[in-house]
Structure formats: C-alpha cells, structure tokens
Amino acid sequence: LLVTLLRSARVRSSVSHQVQTQEDLVCTHVLRVAVKSPVRQTTMLSVRPRTRRDNKQHLSVVLFLSLSLLFGLSSSLFHDDAQHLEQTETTVLEDEFIVFFDGFEEETVLERTIKESVIKSDCAWEVIHRHNAALNYPTDFLLVKIDETNKTRQAQLLTEIEALDHVRYVTPNLKYHFTKKLYSYPAAPRFSKSLLSPISPVDPTSLSGDDEEESCRSPHLVFSHDFHESPTNSSSHNHRDAPDDVFFEEDMANHFASSWQERSLHAATSQMPETNVPTMLNADFLWDKQVTGVGVKVAIFDTGTSPNNPYFKNIAEITDWTDEDSFDDTKGHGTFVAGLIASSQPDCMGLAPDASLYIFRVFTASEVSYTSWFLDAFNYAIHTGIDVLNLSTGGPDYLDRPFVEKIWEMSANKITIISAIGNSGPLFGTLSNPADMADVIGVGGINSMGKLASFSSRGMTTWELPHGYGRVKPDILAFANNVLGLNSKMGCTHQTGTSFASPVVAGSVALLISAVPEGRRAKIINPASIKQVLIESSELLPGTNIFSQGAGQLNLLSAYELLNNYEPRASLFPSELDLTDCPYMWPYCETPLYATSMPLIVNTTILNGMGVTGRITEGPTWSAISFTPHESLHQPSDLADKDILQVAFSHSDVLWPWSGFLAIFFRVNPRAANHHGVVEGMIRLTVTSPGAIGEKTKRQTSLELPVRIQVIPTPPREKRLLWDQYHQLNYPQGYFPRDIVPSLVDPFDWNADHLHTNFRQLFQHVLSLGYFIETLGESFSCFDASNYGTLLLFDPEAEFLEDEVAKLRSDILDKGLSVIVAADWHNTDMIDGIKLLDKNTQKQWQPMTGGSNVPAINTLLDDFGISFSSQVVQGSFRLEKSEGFYGSGSTLSRFPAGGLTVTAHLDDQVVKYLKSINVQVPVEIIGLVNASSAFLSPLNKNKEKNEDALSQRGLPNSIPVVQETFADVSVKEHPKAGRIAVIGDSSCFDDSSKVESCMWLLDDMLAFAAQGVVSDRFLSYSRKLSSNLDKQRHSFSQRSEPLLFPPSPLCSAIQFQPLPDAADPQSGDPISWKPLVYQQINIQGVFEPRITQIQTDYFSFFSSLSDVLLGANVLPYIVIIAFVSIAFRLKKRRQQGDFNAHQLFLS
C-alpha cells in the first residue's frame, strides 16, 4: 500500500480507483471507499500536471497519510489477530479407503473377515495398521490401501468389499493441508464437500464468520483448527467455523476441484473489551467452595498443546493421532481452547483448572489431517470414559452419516458433547452440525456487554423441512468476543468466535460436574441432565428471539444451584409456548392463527434425563383452558371456548440418545372465523424410561406444556399469501449451487430458502404491508386456492408433477389465484463448469440444477405462454428512482401479447464465463400479465396463428389499462382468472445473496398480483407487448439433467384430536402468564403496517450498528477518511491561495 501511494505522487494523469462494497471494507485492512451499490464502481480522481514543488508537497502528504495508516492499523494489521485465514487444500487419497463395519471388533478380526470373504484379485490391497492410542481397543473400521493402477479392478474390489454382510459402507480417506492467506470475503458460510458414504453423497461442512468481524471469515473444513475461521474438509469430521487467529480456510480453487464436505473451527478477531470469562461468570465463588473440576475428564479435539506447558495442572493424556511423533501446538488454537477450560495462568485462568485434560491432537505441524485419524480419536474417547467433549468445529451437512452416527454413539455412552453453533450470523438458517443435533449442546456467542454477537449463527434447524418446522437452536449462549485465554507462548491473548464460546461452556460443565459428589455423579450426570440444567438456569437476552439465543446466556451459579437439587426427569424445550410473546417467540408471535390457515407447527425438544432411551407412554393430549376475547373486534358466537383451537401431534417413537422431538400442529376451527382473542391451554404427556441399575420400577415424568396463541378473524383473501416451500431442495440433499455465480467461496445453497431463514427480510416486509403469509409444505394438490390471493414461488429446485401443473392452471383460471414467480439462472454450460469431484466414485459431481430449476418452471407456466431462457445476466437495473440488482438471473424468452415487460441492459455472464468477454445485452427481466389473456394465446404455434386465433375469437392483442389497473379486464372464458408476475432472479429478495434489497419491486408485484394495480414505476418504465415475445435462440433444448421430484407427493394426514363434548376436567386454574398485549391488526378495514415490528427492526439495526462500531476495526478507517478529506480540501484551497502544506499538517 505504501509503495502504491508513493507511486501515485508521480502520477500526472487521471488515476482510476476501484471501489468495493462496504462488507469488503470491513474485512480487509486496505484503504477503500465504501459505497452502497452492490456492484463495483469506479471513481475518477483528476490530477492536474504538477511541478517539482507540487510533487514534493504531494509526496509529503502521501508519506504523512501512509504513516498515519500504518500506525492506525498496526493494532490489527500486524497484530496476532490479523485476519489471515488458513485455506484447506483437500486431497483425495486415491489408494486409501475406510471400510465401516456394523460393530466393534479387534482390528485383526475385521481384517480376517475381508481376507476370507473377498475373491482373490489381481488388484493388490492391504490393511494399513494405525499405530495410535486406539491400537489396543476394538474398532468399527479398517483403513485399506488398494492399488490404483487399474481403476476398473479397484472399483470391482471396492464393490465386493462393500457387499460383505458386516460392512456398512466404504468411503475414501481424505488428506487436509492448510495454507494461510488474507481473506476479504464478506460474512458468508462456505464449505467444500466430500462424499462420506454412499448414503450421504454430499457433505459440505465449513462455515465461518467470526464475530462482528468474524463474519468476514470463511467456513472451515471438517478437520480444521483455526484462530480464524477456515474450512476444513472431511468426510466424517465436523469442525466449526473458527474465528480466532488460527482459522483454517480452504482454497476455493481446490474446493471446487476436489473438496465437498468441510467442517471448520470458529474463531475471529475483534476490538471489543477483553472478556475474562471466570470473572464474568463468578467462577471464584465455586473455587472458594473447592469446586475446581477435580475428577472430570474433558476431551479437546484440536491442534494439541505442549506437554511442558506449566499452566496446565492436570493433563491426564496427550494423544497424537497424526503421523508425527510430536505433541506441540504450533498453531496455538488447541492451547487457547484448553486454556479456557483448565488454564492456571493467573492472568487468564480457566474455568476448571483441576479438570483432567485429554488432548487429542488431530493436526500435524504442517496442518494436515485425515478422516481416519478423527474416527480413531472418537472411538478412543468412548473407550477412555470421557465425561465432556469439546468440538469447536462444524459444518452444514446434517446428512453426514459417519459423523452424525459417531456423535450419537458418543452421546449414548454418556459423553456430554458441546459444540460451537457457527459464525455465519446474522443470517438465519446457518446452524452448524453437530451443534444442531438434539443431544448436543449447541453454543452461540455473546460479547462482553451481554449482547448477542452478530456473527453467531442463527436457527432454525432445517432437517425437518419441507413438511415440518425446525427445532430451536442454539441451546445456550456464552462469551465469544475478545475472550481472554492462554496462548502457546505461556502468555495471555484474546480471541473471538463461537470456537471459544464452546470451551467456555465445556469448562463450566466440567466445573459443575465436579461439584456433584462422586457417589451421585453416575446417577444424575448425563448429556440430557447437563443440558437441562444449563437451559433452565440461563438468562434471556432482551429484544432477542428464540432462534438467535435459545434459552439465553449461561448462568454458572444458577446452574450450580439447580444441579445441587437435580433428580432424573424429562423436560421440554421450550418449556412453555407463549406465542404472543414478541420478540422472543418470533416468528410465531408475528403470525396469529385464523380459520382456514395452514397449521402452525411448533417443534419442541424432549430431553430425557432419566435414561438414554425412553418413550412417550401417555398422551400427548390437548386441553383448552380459556379464551380471552379482544373486545374491539370479537363477534359473539355460540362456539364454546374449548372448541376454538384444534391440535395434533407427531413425536419420536423412541427417545434416543437422551432426547427426541414433539411436533405440535395448531389450527383454528373453521366455525371460529370471526373470533379474535387469545386461547390458553395445556399439552400433557408422560415419558417413561427403564429404571437404572438396581431399580425395580421404571422411571416416569409427567410433563405439562402451557400454550397461549392469538386467534384473529380470517383476513380477506387478497391479503393472504402462500409461500411454496415444498419445491425447495437444498444442500445437503444434493449439490445445489448458489443463486449467484460464480460463488467460489460458498458454492452450496444450504440455507433452506425458507421465510424464516434466508428470506426473513421478505417475510418481515410483507407483514409490514399488512399481508398475511403462510407456508405450503405439501404439493399444490393439497391446498384450497379459494382461500389465497397470491402464491409465491421463489427459486424452486424440484419438478412440478403433472397433477400440480393441472391444479395450478385451474386455480389461476377458475379460482382467481395470482402467482408471483422469481426464478434464477439455469445454463448447461455454466452447470458443467462448476462440477465438483465425487470422492467416493472419483467422478465429477454435477449440480442438480442451476440457481433454480428453470425448465420445471417453464413447464409450469407453459400454458400461459411464459418461459425463461438459458441466458444468464447480471447487473443493476432501475425503475424510476428505485434501483435493483440482478444477481445471476435468467431472462424472459416467451411472454404473451398484452403483457407488460421491463427491459434492462445487463452483462451476459455466459459469454463472460466462456469467452472472458464483457458484453452488455438488452433483455426482458420482469413481466406482468392477466392470466386469462395469457392462457388464450396458444404460443405453441407461430405468431401468425396466434394473432389469427385471437382475432377469430374477438379478443384484443393487448390488455387495456384502465386507471392503472388490470382489474377491469374480463374475458368470457375465464372472468375470474388471476394474474401472473414473473422475474428471472431472486437475489435481491434473498438475504444470503448479500446484494442490495429490492423490496420496492416486491411491493409493485404484490400490488399487481393481489389487487390488479400497476404502479407508476411499471407504467413509466415498461412496455406493453403488441405481439407475443418469442426468443427461441435462448430457449432450452431437450433436458439432459435428471428430474428432481420433491419428497412425498401425498398430502399429509394430520390427525387432529376430536373436540371434547364437555369441559375438560383437567383444566384447573388459569395459567400464570405475563400481562396480555394484543397484536394490533385491523382485519376488516385497511391493513395497517405493523409498527411494533418495524420498531423492533430499527432496534435490531442500531444494536447491530453498535456491535460493528465497537467490535470492528472502524476507527482507523475514520482517521484515514478524515486525512484524505483534509488533503482534498487543501488542494481546493491552495488553488485559492488560502493554505500551504505545512499549515495542513498542523490542522
């Protein structure tokens, strides 16, 4: 930078400076100008010819600014915490494979099983014997080396091995190597994938985003330990995004070439005040009671630590799972994590200084690891009898079979697993696995001021979609910003990220367990009981929703008191469902129930501290207790209070290990269409587990779950929207690429495309406009279109079945349903260009679709003469004073006469991608049309036949616009037909795209679809087609990719409980709730914007802003901008003879 500035002193002509986005400004320590536009802009700085004296003065200014820059950024650019991410280069060992068995045996027994069963082959193979700490214990896998000279014979031999009776599956062994680089991509989770098993062909696991700044990092791979986030790749390991100084980032080029799944550590850097964790948690209170972690075995899977570190009192064992004969931690990440748990350094004490540490070193000094090393280490942890296991790693692949199964196995063996939730916030739907598992304690992050860290990943879980709804995660929050801890040089330093929130909880758990007398530990300590204690003793953060904070902030002393009196029992989380409590119960509190709406689904977690297995033996049942009417809108009815709400259930058949789910479905009785008020009631169930050793009776817990739900009168049809979730397919269900290409840092679309994840801003926006939006988790055949005004179809990946196409056509033409479609890119050449390597088959893994399944969308809209093209374009567009960004979208290739279309000049990405040529082309990107007119245009014929057909039927070739509305258009055949609005890209509606939002465009499309009103913007900047648009040059040829069908085309059969004939005898006393506050919604008249939510959004905005100002390295940039401003002011005034350079320096 200094050299560049010095050279600029000699420039005599214009200098062009590229400007990047504001996110890049925060992530890179480079002098840049922040602009709001999502695209790169160019600022021209005119410099007049200079004299020698001018150049000297300019040189003085440059030197002064350069020194200021260096001093101002020294604390971050040259600090230990500089944002250097470590990339992970993932290599598939083509001759090494891991063979998984269905049970544990001695390695020699498993080896003999293969040798005796496999037919003799001319393909040489041998078992690689692992010489590590697990050598003397049974194992459930073998590492096999197979000659790769003859690929055909190798494949045949693998097939033979996998077909053996006791072999579950075979997966390649992976090698991970980490290299440092400065990372400057904005907060986006990324990961490469590695195929772990035939059942899980996709395993991306590497997210990252450190804290406020951590969000600038990238995800890590499965085996990554980092001080900063980095992706680590692995088929069976999970490592969280890491936000500290040692953060392993994966090289995205190799990422595309050979890596699929990655899990990563979570670490970052920050300028927040240092957080001394023991002091903040009042751990000294327990230390004074001689509670210091004695007798608790804590396992740390990381980069190791030195056995000679004098500040660890009780390192019981350090095991090296690498091929090196060393225990040293050259990265420092493992030492820092271990220090948070058990350091005795006076200036940075750990929480449980006397805990027994079991250090699992799974990375070499050159930052290399293998899948087989992790599997051995997990098995050894089980054999060693570990009590607490910390995993500061993770990734989004909840279908990673080997890893998920091994987590369950360790949990079933009473190992309490604590894992970082990830650093991909503030985007929702960004949870990491295994922290998103029910039996694992998933830890999010807060800063030293007790506020939610902006980088901490948010829920919900996405396993349950599309038919169900996600569970609450994270479970709990802990300090994650500028956490003070031990470094590898025996001193103290600070790190940021959920990588360090996780060991804060792990150390607290070790401390709590040591407070329980040894004779009682075996009876009450297990993964469920620990999770119950932490959740029930935590403190909620004000103004923060449940999917961001879970149960709230860790409270060590309250957990201690609760554990002292703990008896084995079952419990529910959340423990009560007050769905009127905003903002904590967002999004439920934003979506009151009404008759004919889709069932509202709440997914609770059952924690079973009574035993590793259990069942629901009684219930669940629903008992209505009361209905409190809203006087202003409630209309009297003869319907009994107990009959207003109907409830159904779905739950785990077996609670294992230590947990299960209870899904609750709520709907309003159709006879209660005019009711407005709050329903209160109770859900009851009984959980039973086998008795402990020596107990003759089973253990039972009777549970009660209080419920409070707001019911409102059914809104008018035109205000009811339906979101199609059923046709959304995402990673890890397959390789589904991002909606913007090329997206090298985050190639997978994994945020679920749900209203409450990456389309959260859209959800909040339509509510603020007075609309009501529901989610469709079933086929189009399963909903009654007469209840809804508009169907929203955004970025679908799945096919539309024939009966769905016919049903939707009928709904639009005969029932007046309107449709808004937002597609994305789909081009075969570009799809071929982003293939990944399938590590099981050594074949290229091709994306299942483009950004969306455009051919399927075209099939759906074909009867209306609407099609999208294979053209892919990108760039900014403008309607009047409103600007939008087209990420990577398709264009309209067919559109019916009489419709309105918007044309924009955008960059042709296909030409740029294939030929590296920048070309701008005029393309149609948005279209509005009345469905009846569109349907009557048989576009499967040529234009002349179309026009003749229209003329013969006496129909106009265009749709008349009367008072800016299509509402007056009527066609005899379909007088009630709805309207269709389409756009070829969804990026500006998608939070994960990180482009400027264009909700103004959604406003206009909704006004047209729901009310038939065309905005002034569209009337001024669109053209009415006098003939059918038909661009065959960019149409799709016959489809070559496989058809993607959504799960289960059948409509769900939810069995709602029959309404009781008499008052429930169990109702009892009213539930004790906080004072009731009704949501102010005008049902009958004009729908007012939801001011309460908007105020909440502003609160969140300023809260996030304060996080950034306090947590990011903002001050140096302010200083730099000030100096630059002074320099330009000087230039102007010198021309007026006001100042000289020396006076400028003084000022």
Side-chain angles (χ1 to χ4, degrees):
L1 177 61
L2 179 61
V3 172
T4 302
L5 290 173
L6 291 173
R7 287 178 177 174
S8 69
R10 304 176 184 276
V11 176
R12 296 176 179 269
S13 59
S14 335
V15 180
S16 173
H17 296 274
Q18 282 193 331
V19 177
Q20 293 187 348
T21 64
Q22 188 169 4
E23 290 90 342
D24 284 336
L25 180 65
V26 176
C27 293
T28 57
H29 299 290
V30 180
L31 178 58
R32 292 178 179 171
V33 179
V35 295
K36 292 183 178 180
S37 173
V39 284
R40 293 179 181 266
Q41 299 184 357
T42 301
T43 302
M44 302 301 296
L45 305 179
S46 295
V47 182
R48 65 178 175 83
R50 302 181 183 279
T51 63
R52 182 182 300 273
R53 179 179 178 182
D54 290 333
N55 285 338
K56 288 182 178 179
Q57 291 180 347
H58 182 69
L59 181 61
S60 299
V61 173
V62 169
L63 286 171
F64 182 75
L65 293 175
S66 301
L67 292 174
S68 301
L69 172 67
L70 294 177
F71 281 111
L73 297 183
S74 61
S75 63
S76 58
L77 197 61
F78 306 113
H79 191 270
D80 285 345
D81 298 336
Q83 297 185 27
H84 286 83
L85 305 188
E86 295 190 349
Q87 298 178 326
T88 302
E89 298 178 358
T90 305
T91 305
V92 176
L93 303 181
E94 298 186 0
D95 61 345
E96 291 187 16
F97 296 85
I98 301 171
V99 181
F100 290 91
F101 293 82
D102 58 7
F104 282 79
E105 289 287 353
E106 297 295 334
E107 186 180 57
T108 54
V109 175
L110 298 181
E111 180 178 2
R112 187 167 60 250
T113 299
I114 295 182
K115 288 183 177 180
E116 293 176 353
S117 304
V118 174
I119 301 175
K120 290 186 178 180
S121 168
D122 54 359
C123 183
W125 66 277
E126 63 177 343
V127 173
I128 299 176
H129 299 284
R130 290 106 59 198
H131 301 285
N132 53 41
L135 179 64
N136 299 322
Y137 293 93
T139 182
D140 60 347
F141 75 94
L142 288 179
L143 184 60
V144 178
K145 185 172 184 177
I146 303 177
D147 181 18
E148 60 175 317
T149 306
N150 188 327
K151 291 291 185 181
T152 302
R153 279 301 305 142
Q154 185 188 64
Q156 291 175 352
L157 183 58
L158 289 173
T159 302
E160 291 181 25
I161 293 175
E162 197 163 21
L164 298 178
D165 288 342
H166 297 288
V167 173
R168 296 167 59 200
Y169 50 87
V170 180
T171 186
N173 198 17
L174 304 180
K175 174 183 178 181
Y176 309 95
H177 182 259
F178 307 107
T179 57
K180 275 193 175 183
K181 80 166 186 178
L182 185 65
Y183 185 68
S184 63
Y185 188 79
R190 41 201 141 23
F191 29 85
S192 61
K193 304 173 75 173
S194 41
L195 187 57
L196 299 188
S197 71
I199 292 183
S200 174
V202 202
D203 317 333
T205 51
S206 74
L207 324 169
S208 139
D210 309 310
D211 95 329
E212 283 86 354
E213 300 178 306
E214 192 175 14
S215 46
C216 301
R217 320 233 180 276
S218 60
H220 311 72
L221 303 187
V222 181
F223 294 131
S224 72
H225 292 310
D226 10 349
F227 289 163
H228 300 291
E229 304 230 357
S230 56
T232 35
N233 187 343
S234 132
S235 357
S236 57
H237 329 310
N238 279 352
H239 275 176
R240 294 257 157 265
D241 313 336
D244 35 294
D245 288 329
V246 192
F247 168 156
F248 301 152
E249 194 60 84
E250 146 174 66
D251 182 349
M252 299 322 288
N254 291 326
H255 183 137
F256 264 85
S258 66
S259 74
W260 289 22
Q261 164 197 0
E262 308 174 357
R263 299 184 181 269
S264 50
L265 296 179
H266 306 292
T269 63
S270 169
Q271 297 302 316
M272 289 288 290
E274 289 182 346
T275 303
N276 188 311
V277 173
T279 300
M280 300 290 284
L281 294 179
N282 298 307
D284 54 345
F285 176 82
L286 298 182
W287 296 343
D288 291 342
K289 292 178 175 291
Q290 305 304 311
V291 176
T292 57
V294 173
V296 181
K297 297 181 178 180
V298 182
I300 300 169
F301 282 65
D302 223 290
T303 56
T305 192
S306 171
N308 301 318
N309 193 319
Y311 294 118
F312 290 116
K313 295 181 182 179
N314 190 10
I315 295 182
E317 186 177 30
I318 300 180
T319 51
D320 179 24
W321 302 88
T322 72
D323 56 5
E324 297 178 340
D325 187 16
S326 173
F327 299 122
D328 291 336
D329 177 16
T330 59
K331 299 303 298 181
H333 189 274
T335 300
F336 192 89
V337 169
L340 289 175
I341 296 172
S343 166
S344 60
Q345 221 278 13
D347 295 328
C348 46
M349 288 285 291
L351 284 158
D354 290 321
S356 299
L357 294 184
Y358 288 76
I359 307 298
F360 289 73
R361 184 176 184 265
V362 290
F363 289 94
T364 67
S366 56
E367 295 128 18
V368 172
S369 187
Y370 293 86
T371 298
S372 58
W373 295 352
F374 256 77
L375 293 178
D376 270 334
F378 283 146
N379 284 339
Y380 186 71
I382 295 174
H383 295 310
T384 308
I386 294 298
D387 298 310
V388 181
L389 189 149
N390 182 79
L391 282 173
S392 292
T393 64
D397 186 10
Y398 53 81
L399 294 182
D400 178 358
R401 179 182 176 185
F403 191 86
V404 169
E405 290 182 350
K406 193 59 66 175
I407 292 295
W408 282 336
E409 187 177 344
M410 289 191 292
S411 182
N413 282 275
K414 300 186 74 172
I415 298 177
T416 299
I417 301 168
I418 296 147
S419 184
I421 205 69
N423 301 309
S424 299
L427 185 65
F428 282 69
T430 52
L431 300 173
S432 293
N433 179 268
D436 62 348
M437 296 174 65
D439 54 310
V440 174
I441 299 173
V443 185
I446 57 173
N447 60 30
S448 58
M449 302 173 68
K451 294 174 56 181
L452 180 69
S454 61
F455 58 82
S456 184
S457 290
R458 272 70 162 170
M460 59 184 174
T461 62
T462 57
W463 301 40
E464 299 80 6
L465 300 176
H467 300 302
Y469 192 80
R471 289 169 288 107
V472 174
K473 283 283 180 169
D475 296 304
I476 197 169
L477 304 176
F479 295 110
N481 194 303
N482 268 25
V483 178
L484 187 65
L486 185 67
N487 62 29
S488 56
K489 298 178 181 179
M490 318 300 182
C492 298
T493 186
H494 62 272
Q495 302 293 349
T496 293
T498 55
S499 254
F500 310 115
S502 181
V504 167
V505 174
S508 298
V509 169
L511 200 59
L512 292 172
I513 294 176
S514 69
V516 178
E518 290 190 20
R520 194 165 179 259
R521 289 182 194 177
K523 297 179 180 179
I524 67 169
I525 299 300
N526 57 60
S529 64
I530 292 298
K531 190 170 182 178
Q532 288 171 327
V533 166
L534 294 179
I535 285 176
E536 294 169 14
S537 61
S538 60
E539 299 176 348
L540 291 179
L541 305 186
T544 304
N545 67 63
I546 192 170
F547 290 106
S548 297
Q549 66 168 315
Q553 176 181 350
L554 169 68
N555 186 321
L556 178 61
L557 298 188
S558 294
Y560 167 75
E561 295 295 336
L562 193 60
L563 188 60
N564 275 344
N565 301 311
Y566 181 85
E567 293 296 335
R569 54 183 169 79
S571 63
L572 295 168
F573 178 63
S575 59
E576 65 178 38
L577 300 180
D578 183 359
L579 304 190
T580 67
D581 180 12
C582 267
Y584 181 64
M585 288 306 293
W586 179 93
Y588 303 114
C589 61
E590 294 281 355
T591 51
L593 275 179
Y594 43 84
T596 71
S597 68
M598 292 290 168
L600 177 67
I601 307 173
V602 181
N603 207 338
T604 61
T605 298
I606 305 173
L607 298 174
N608 182 20
M610 300 183 295
V612 66
T613 63
R615 292 180 182 272
I616 296 178
T617 53
E618 295 181 17
T621 60
W622 160 254
S623 302
I625 293 178
S626 66
F627 174 70
T628 306
H630 188 287
E631 296 179 359
S632 62
L633 290 178
H634 177 61
Q635 298 183 11
S637 168
D638 59 355
L639 189 65
D641 292 349
K642 62 183 176 58
D643 296 339
I644 294 173
L645 200 62
Q646 298 173 324
V647 183
F649 303 96
S650 175
H651 57 80
S652 303
D653 293 331
V654 178
L655 310 178
W656 183 91
W658 309 103
S659 60
F661 73 89
L662 172 64
I664 310 164
F665 302 79
F666 298 99
R667 77 177 181 189
V668 175
N669 189 328
R671 294 168 54 199
N674 295 319
H675 280 60
H676 189 190
V678 170
V679 176
E680 296 183 7
M682 191 74 73
I683 293 171
R684 295 180 174 90
L685 65 151
T686 299
V687 174
T688 303
S689 287
I693 297 176
E695 294 181 357
K696 297 181 179 180
T697 60
K698 295 181 179 180
R699 293 179 170 182
Q700 278 193 344
T701 302
S702 295
L703 298 174
E704 291 187 340
L705 181 64
V707 175
R708 181 157 76 167
I709 298 180
Q710 184 172 192
V711 173
I712 63 172
T714 302
R717 178 189 182 189
E718 63 270 17
K719 286 296 182 178
R720 294 180 60 180
L721 311 178
L722 188 62
W723 176 270
D724 175 33
Q725 187 66 37
Y726 181 67
H727 295 92
Q728 303 290 352
L729 298 175
N730 305 95
Y731 183 87
Q733 300 169 23
Y735 178 9
F736 295 97
R738 279 288 183 188
D739 299 335
I740 296 182
V741 290
S743 184
L744 299 180
V745 290
D746 189 4
F748 303 106
D749 187 356
W750 63 282
N751 301 126
D753 289 343
H754 192 278
L755 285 169
H756 303 153
T757 58
N758 53 307
F759 281 96
R760 179 176 183 265
Q761 185 179 358
L762 181 149
F763 170 73
Q764 295 295 148
H765 184 74
V766 297
L767 293 185
S768 71
L769 296 176
Y771 290 97
F772 294 81
I773 187 166
E774 304 166 31
T775 302
L776 177 66
E778 302 174 299
S779 164
F780 287 168
S781 303
C782 303
F783 78 96
D784 184 354
S786 62
N787 292 327
Y788 301 94
T790 306
L791 173 69
L792 302 183
L793 189 60
F794 279 55
D795 187 21
E797 287 84 15
E799 298 294 324
F800 298 94
L801 305 177
E802 289 185 9
D803 62 334
E804 289 185 293
V805 175
K807 165 74 160 45
L808 187 62
R809 179 176 62 241
S810 174
D811 288 343
I812 294 173
L813 295 174
D814 301 327
K815 293 188 176 182
L817 179 69
S818 294
V819 179
I820 296 178
V821 177
D824 275 298
W825 70 275
H826 190 107
N827 180 279
T828 303
D829 292 332
M830 296 190 74
I831 289 175
D832 289 340
I834 58 174
K835 294 178 180 178
L836 298 179
L837 179 65
D838 183 328
K839 295 173 182 176
N840 278 331
T841 64
Q842 295 297 298
K843 296 180 180 179
Q844 291 293 326
W845 186 28
Q846 182 166 338
M848 309 292 282
T849 67
S852 65
N853 193 338
V854 173
I857 297 174
N858 289 346
T859 299
L860 185 69
L861 300 178
D862 183 64
D863 287 336
F864 300 96
I866 301 174
S867 295
F868 292 99
S869 73
S870 61
Q871 199 171 13
V872 183
V873 294
Q874 184 180 77
S876 296
F877 65 94
R878 178 182 293 273
L879 270 69
E880 210 170 50
K881 296 181 180 180
S882 303
E883 188 171 314
F885 184 75
Y886 218 69
S888 290
S890 55
T891 64
L892 290 172
S893 62
R894 297 168 62 227
F895 206 74
L900 296 178
T901 60
V902 173
T903 302
H905 288 75
L906 303 176
D907 296 332
D908 190 323
Q909 282 194 287
V910 178
V911 174
K912 182 177 181 179
Y913 180 79
L914 297 178
K915 301 181 181 179
S916 300
I917 300 175
N918 294 324
V919 178
Q920 276 206 343
V921 291
V923 290
E924 290 78 13
I925 59 174
I926 304 172
L928 309 178
V929 69
N930 184 289
S932 61
S933 178
F935 181 71
L936 295 176
S937 298
L939 293 183
N940 54 323
K941 303 178 182 179
N942 57 43
K943 292 183 179 180
E944 290 75 13
K945 290 183 179 180
N946 292 339
E947 294 172 356
D948 290 344
L950 291 172
S951 176
Q952 292 171 6
R953 302 171 73 171
L955 297 174
N957 286 336
S958 63
I959 301 176
V961 179
V962 181
Q963 296 180 349
E964 303 181 5
T965 176
F966 284 123
D968 296 329
V969 175
S970 65
V971 180
K972 293 181 179 179
E973 287 82 350
H974 302 285
K976 297 182 179 180
R979 291 162 289 275
I980 302 175
V982 297
I983 181 172
D985 182 57
S986 69
S987 299
C988 62
F989 308 113
D990 185 344
D991 301 348
S992 67
S993 296
K994 304 187 188 306
V995 301
E996 190 170 350
S997 171
C998 59
M999 293 304 162
W1000 59 267
L1001 179 58
L1002 180 65
D1003 295 351
D1004 290 352
M1005 298 177 80
L1006 278 173
F1008 170 72
Q1011 305 170 41
V1013 175
V1014 181
S1015 69
D1016 290 339
R1017 273 188 293 247
F1018 268 93
L1019 288 176
S1020 302
Y1021 286 81
S1022 63
R1023 69 185 180 101
K1024 185 166 57 179
L1025 298 177
S1026 58
S1027 60
N1028 298 319
L1029 175 69
D1030 194 358
K1031 296 184 176 181
Q1032 294 296 332
R1033 184 168 66 90
H1034 294 295
S1035 61
F1036 286 91
S1037 56
Q1038 185 173 358
R1039 302 186 57 180
S1040 57
E1041 64 271 14
L1043 299 181
L1044 304 172
F1045 292 102
S1048 177
L1050 300 178
C1051 300
S1052 65
I1054 302 174
Q1055 298 296 321
F1056 286 88
Q1057 290 187 1
L1059 298 176
D1061 296 329
D1064 185 357
Q1066 301 184 34
S1067 295
D1069 297 330
I1071 304 170
S1072 177
W1073 300 101
K1074 68 180 183 181
L1076 177 64
V1077 178
Y1078 284 98
Q1079 193 170 2
Q1080 298 301 316
I1081 302 173
N1082 183 353
I1083 303 301
Q1084 306 302 333
V1086 178
F1087 283 67
E1088 299 291 342
R1090 305 201 174 177
I1091 304 301
T1092 301
Q1093 180 57 41
I1094 293 177
Q1095 291 172 343
T1096 299
D1097 289 345
Y1098 277 121
F1099 175 82
S1100 300
F1101 167 76
F1102 286 112
S1103 175
S1104 299
L1105 179 61
S1106 66
D1107 274 352
V1108 172
L1109 292 177
L1110 290 172
N1113 298 322
V1114 174
L1115 184 59
Y1117 298 109
I1118 296 176
V1119 174
I1120 293 165
I1121 292 172
F1123 277 121
V1124 172
S1125 175
I1126 293 173
F1128 280 102
R1129 183 182 294 268
L1130 170 70
K1131 176 184 174 183
K1132 181 177 179 180
R1133 294 198 175 183
R1134 283 190 67 258
Q1135 294 173 349
Q1136 301 172 355
D1138 290 345
F1139 289 97
N1140 58 39
H1142 299 289
Q1143 289 173 321
L1144 168 68
F1145 297 154
L1146 292 177
S1147 64

